[in-house]
Amino acid sequence: MHTPPRQDYVSISFAGQRSGSYNNSKQWRRQSCWRKWKQLSRLQRSLILFILVLLFICGIATYPTVTEHLSGLTEGEQHTESNSVLRPVVPHVLPEPLKQVRPPLPEPTSKKKLSNRRGPPFLQNRLQKKGNASDTVVEDKAADTKKEGEDNGVISWRGAVIDTDQATEGTKDEQNSEDSPVDQKGKPSKESANWPEAVRESFRHAWKGYKDFAWGHDELRPLSKSYSEWFGLGLTLIDALDTMWILGLKEEFEEAKAWVATELTFNKNVDVNLFESTIRILGGLLSTYSLTGDSLFLDKAKDIGSRLMPAFNTPSKIPYSDVNIGKGTAHPPRWTSDSTVAEVTSIQLEFRELSRLTQEPQYQAAVAEVMKQVHKLDGKLDGLVPMFINTNSGQFTHQGIYTLGARADSYYEYLLKQWIQGGKKEDQLLEDYLQAIEGVKRNLLQKSSPNGLTFVGELSHGQFSPKMDHLVCFLPGTLALGAHNGLPDDHMDLAKQLMETCYQMYVQMETGLSPEIVHFNMHEGSTRDIEVKLADRHNLLRPETVESLFYLYRFTKDQKYRDWGYEILQNFNKYTKVSSGGYTSINNVRDPDYPSPRDKMESFFLGETLKYLYLLFSDDPNLISLDQYVFNTEAHPLPIWPSTV
Ligand code: DMJ
């Protein structure tokens, strides 16, 4: 997007300036200024000098704060939030005592300077101290006083709806995990039995912030104890519904449900993004319906689903990015008639499910048409797609750039997941997926130096870039899911390698939290594998790595994946938890002393990150069995369709 150039100056004109005599010579300017200065009274001159001295002193005094703030502002912003967070808020997030509980490095690295982990010559595993993540909680625990009942109670409440008898998952790996664990390299520790409860505690803390300061609004701003609106539809509340159900937080769920029943209305003159509202709102409502069987959620899903349909009224049938759900009109962004490829190809699971449940075929037909067209398009490279598609012509635009990150990521995810959702019958989806994974291997896969981390880079007009978004960390999980569903074993091998890389993106940072984007070194003689540019050092509480850890653990039962997830949870608690409630995105994962909070809790932290962490730690393989459910790209589980044959 092009923003107008900033005006960097102000012009001041003095009264009495004689324009007629102006000739702009150096000599004239010097004389004229001196003359003006002499014409001033002594009082005026003293006043001006006094102001100049004052300004100088203020400038010196505020210099460090300003530079720090500016460095925060230069980093990439998401959505529309501006960064108004300054130093005084630090105590909310990073109280002094927390710095003392950082776990020591493992033996080989412990002799190194703790505060500088840049470029370790070997890979790291920082998990040393095991215990409840809440050990590190900031001073305010009042919010968490209401403890959940015993696990049994929770299970019976949830179990009333989920039909566990039909669960089949785990036949390969899980059911024999006690006796003959598959690929079990680490043993479950005693403490890990408490980890699901640690996630519940984190959820309650996040929910307290949302409830106290942002109830019914889109996103919590935990530091300013306020909220931000994106669509004005209670985004966080809807995104979190099924998480509460899965975590067994009955009371919180009932309160949220009451809000959906009495307050949620889609009859609003508001522009929403088709993709975001589909994956978060439609997906969240459909999933909650499938878990609870409560028709309230299906009715709401139908309402929003039908209001989103005008997006498909385009010359090409490739949907526009934005819809006004009150007026029933749709349009592309102001600056282009393109949509992003990920957006138009990652709404299928939800609209297909809506058609199945309502027996109204128009939803499925609209999204199937998009897949049909994208399947046939020119401009792919070995199954890899460009990032943009034009809503008039239906053709790819900005061709020649290939990434598994932003704007293309979930295209690949939804090829596999639609195939699974539909009972593995839609061969074209499978073929496109398999071809794309081969395309990744051939064009985007490389190893870093010095430690040979496998990573997925990007290609721009034939030029390889060793840049990898954190978003790409969905891929290990998706590859593992494919392998679990009968796809080649080497997909699982690649999944494990990429999982290690995504973990290193966390563990090699001083806060133990991943930045938004990393660059890998590939040249011989590099001293470190991972570099982070200044503008990429933020962390938005994203889920992709813990999502993949969940899949990898479910399919391999290797304890290390849980350990890694627990480390990440602890670091979220250390560096992003706000004492008065909620968690915040941060600007700088490389500065444990001042991670620079952004004052925003994205809805996907509750919708995805905490849900995947809970499922990673849960010992119940039937809790959202991967043979019965497929997760949409916002972590909302949708049922795999029962076979009709
Ligand atoms: C979520 O909205 C979804 O996971 C989406 O697919 C990618 N971006 C965020 C989380 O990072």
Side-chain angles (χ1 to χ4, degrees):
M1 183 172 42
H2 178 73
T3 45
R6 224 180 69 204
Q7 199 172 334
D8 283 322
Y9 58 88
V10 284
S11 64
I12 302 172
S13 52
F14 290 102
Q17 202 170 0
R18 287 172 299 165
S19 52
S21 61
Y22 171 76
N23 65 20
N24 201 30
S25 73
K26 238 184 187 174
Q27 173 78 356
W28 181 91
R29 272 181 277 147
R30 217 177 291 134
Q31 283 174 1
S32 151
C33 283
W34 181 242
R35 214 177 301 127
K36 281 193 187 341
W37 177 252
K38 297 285 277 180
Q39 284 165 2
L40 296 175
S41 71
R42 186 181 290 176
L43 180 69
Q44 284 173 314
R45 274 186 262 161
S46 313
L47 206 62
I48 289 174
L49 284 174
F50 176 73
I51 290 171
L52 286 175
V53 170
L54 201 66
L55 285 174
F56 181 72
I57 292 168
C58 288
I60 298 277
T62 57
Y63 176 74
T65 317
V66 170
T67 46
E68 224 160 53
H69 182 53
L70 286 179
S71 75
L73 287 181
T74 53
E75 298 187 0
E77 292 283 330
Q78 287 277 315
H79 305 326
T80 54
E81 276 308 290
S82 67
N83 185 341
S84 56
V85 186
L86 292 173
R87 254 200 185 287
V89 296
V90 175
H92 289 292
V93 178
L94 189 71
E96 268 314 293
L98 291 187
K99 288 182 216 157
Q100 291 153 15
V101 298
R102 298 187 72 201
L105 285 173
E107 247 340 285
T109 50
S110 59
K111 291 188 187 87
K112 290 186 171 285
K113 225 177 131 204
L114 256 185
S115 60
N116 183 8
R117 292 217 188 78
R118 291 179 91 101
F122 38 77
L123 304 185
Q124 298 183 10
N125 183 339
R126 295 200 316 181
L127 192 83
Q128 289 291 295
K129 173 176 175 280
K130 288 183 180 158
N132 196 315
S134 59
D135 289 346
T136 60
V137 165
V138 189
E139 67 273 17
D140 178 5
K141 285 205 179 161
D144 300 337
T145 47
K146 206 166 196 115
K147 289 271 173 263
E148 275 299 302
E150 289 302 301
D151 260 11
N152 283 345
V154 170
I155 288 166
S156 66
W157 166 67
R158 194 173 49 229
V161 176
I162 296 177
D163 182 3
T164 51
D165 286 341
Q166 287 177 14
T168 58
E169 190 195 355
T171 47
K172 258 174 147 182
D173 300 335
E174 294 173 2
Q175 288 172 357
N176 59 0
S177 64
E178 279 302 311
D179 302 327
S180 55
V182 179
D183 197 15
Q184 187 167 346
K185 295 187 187 94
K187 288 197 183 117
S189 60
K190 271 194 193 145
E191 294 91 336
S192 66
N194 298 325
W195 293 355
E197 187 51 38
V199 182
R200 278 212 284 256
E201 228 174 85
S202 293
F203 186 97
R204 283 192 212 100
H205 185 81
W207 192 246
K208 171 185 159 40
Y210 179 74
K211 199 175 155 187
D212 288 353
F213 309 121
W215 185 250
H217 297 284
D218 281 345
E219 290 141 343
L220 169 67
R221 301 189 62 186
L223 296 167
S224 47
K225 300 185 178 173
S226 62
Y227 57 84
S228 55
E229 294 291 30
W230 191 5
F231 308 143
L233 297 173
L235 209 54
T236 295
L237 188 149
I238 300 175
D239 226 0
L241 282 168
D242 57 5
T243 306
M244 291 183 269
W245 183 264
I246 291 166
L247 268 58
L249 299 172
K250 185 173 185 183
E251 211 174 283
E252 289 83 349
F253 177 84
E254 290 301 334
E255 257 179 309
K257 177 183 151 184
W259 183 87
V260 172
T262 57
E263 304 287 326
L264 178 61
T265 170
F266 296 123
N267 189 12
K268 274 188 167 177
N269 178 9
V270 61
D271 274 356
V272 302
N273 175 281
L274 170 69
F275 164 73
E276 297 290 358
S277 51
T278 298
I279 65 170
R280 301 187 198 212
I281 299 175
L282 179 57
L285 292 167
L286 287 171
S287 147
T288 309
Y289 170 68
S290 98
L291 294 172
T292 63
D294 189 327
S295 61
L296 165 70
F297 300 107
L298 181 57
D299 291 344
K300 291 289 178 187
K302 266 192 257 178
D303 191 10
I304 185 69
S306 58
R307 287 172 186 275
L308 291 173
M309 288 302 280
F312 295 91
N313 295 334
T314 70
S316 66
K317 305 270 177 276
I318 300 296
Y320 289 133
S321 60
D322 297 283
V323 192
N324 187 303
I325 52 173
K327 290 187 189 160
T329 54
H331 59 87
R334 231 174 295 143
W335 57 91
T336 178
S337 50
D338 290 350
S339 290
T340 71
V341 171
E343 290 191 351
V344 301
T345 57
S346 312
I347 49 180
Q348 278 65 17
L349 292 176
E350 299 81 358
F351 279 96
R352 283 157 51 113
E353 175 66 354
L354 187 58
S355 272
R356 187 182 75 92
L357 292 172
T358 59
Q359 294 296 301
E360 293 174 19
Q362 70 271 24
Y363 308 112
Q364 177 159 6
V367 293
E369 174 65 23
V370 179
M371 293 313 294
K372 196 173 115 198
Q373 288 195 39
V374 170
H375 170 74
K376 289 192 296 206
L377 280 184
D378 288 336
K380 292 185 199 160
L381 173 70
D382 300 330
L384 303 176
V385 290
M387 298 188 297
F388 294 98
I389 187 165
N390 190 272
T391 49
N392 293 322
S393 68
Q395 301 296 314
F396 290 131
T397 63
H398 302 84
Q399 294 194 29
I401 303 177
Y402 302 97
T403 173
L404 264 278
R407 302 201 174 92
D409 48 0
S410 40
Y411 162 72
Y412 305 102
E413 180 188 350
Y414 269 36
L415 286 174
L416 177 74
K417 288 183 172 177
Q418 286 179 78
W419 177 69
I420 293 172
Q421 178 189 45
K424 306 189 208 176
K425 293 182 199 127
E426 296 152 286
D427 294 342
Q428 203 164 74
L429 293 165
L430 177 62
E431 280 162 25
D432 285 354
Y433 176 74
L434 289 171
Q435 202 198 351
I437 298 304
E438 289 310 305
V440 170
K441 288 191 217 161
R442 196 168 309 138
N443 301 287
L444 304 181
L445 216 57
Q446 286 289 351
K447 285 198 186 283
S448 66
S449 178
N451 289 302
L453 293 174
T454 303
F455 70 93
V456 181
E458 299 184 351
L459 203 64
S460 176
H461 306 288
Q463 190 84 17
F464 181 78
S465 160
K467 162 183 179 278
M468 181 164 148
D469 296 351
H470 182 271
L471 289 169
V472 181
C473 289
F474 81 93
L475 190 58
T478 299
L479 286 167
L481 180 65
H484 176 74
N485 280 280
L487 303 191
D489 285 347
D490 71 333
H491 285 208
M492 183 54 107
D493 299 338
L494 181 56
K496 289 177 184 171
Q497 290 172 37
L498 291 171
M499 192 74 262
E500 170 75 39
T501 303
C502 290
Y503 170 62
Q504 291 297 327
M505 285 163 61
Y506 281 71
V507 81
Q508 294 197 15
M509 299 302 121
E510 286 79 352
T511 56
L513 293 173
S514 171
E516 178 75 355
I517 299 171
V518 298
H519 285 75
F520 290 90
N521 276 322
M522 291 173 66
H523 49 275
E524 268 181 43
S526 305
T527 52
R528 51 176 172 252
D529 294 82
I530 299 178
E531 304 277 0
V532 186
K533 294 189 189 301
L534 270 184
D536 304 332
R537 297 190 298 186
H538 48 293
N539 179 297
L540 304 182
L541 313 172
R542 285 197 191 277
E544 290 76 17
T545 294
V546 296
E547 166 185 355
S548 285
L549 288 172
F550 156 67
Y551 285 104
L552 270 283
Y553 181 77
R554 277 260 171 125
F555 299 137
T556 68
K557 283 290 176 286
D558 189 335
Q559 174 67 19
K560 79 176 177 197
Y561 297 124
R562 277 187 169 175
D563 292 345
W564 294 355
Y566 187 63
E567 267 184 80
I568 293 171
L569 174 63
Q570 284 179 307
N571 290 322
F572 278 133
N573 280 332
K574 271 188 206 170
Y575 297 108
T576 72
K577 189 170 185 173
V578 180
S579 60
S580 49
Y583 288 74
T584 178
S585 306
I586 55 174
N587 275 318
N588 190 357
V589 297
R590 307 226 60 165
D591 187 350
D593 295 324
Y594 186 57
S596 180
R598 283 189 158 203
D599 196 15
K600 174 132 151 193
M601 184 174 78
E602 300 279 351
S603 78
F604 50 69
F605 183 63
L606 300 190
E608 298 193 68
T609 310
L610 293 179
K611 183 188 290 154
Y612 282 129
L613 279 167
Y614 184 79
L615 291 171
L616 167 66
F617 301 146
S618 166
D619 279 328
D620 181 359
N622 295 318
L623 182 55
I624 317 297
S625 157
L626 289 170
D627 292 319
Q628 293 186 315
Y629 287 94
V630 62
F631 285 88
N632 86 340
T633 193
E634 189 74 6
H636 297 303
L638 300 173
I640 293 172
W641 298 344
S643 174
T644 46
V645 194

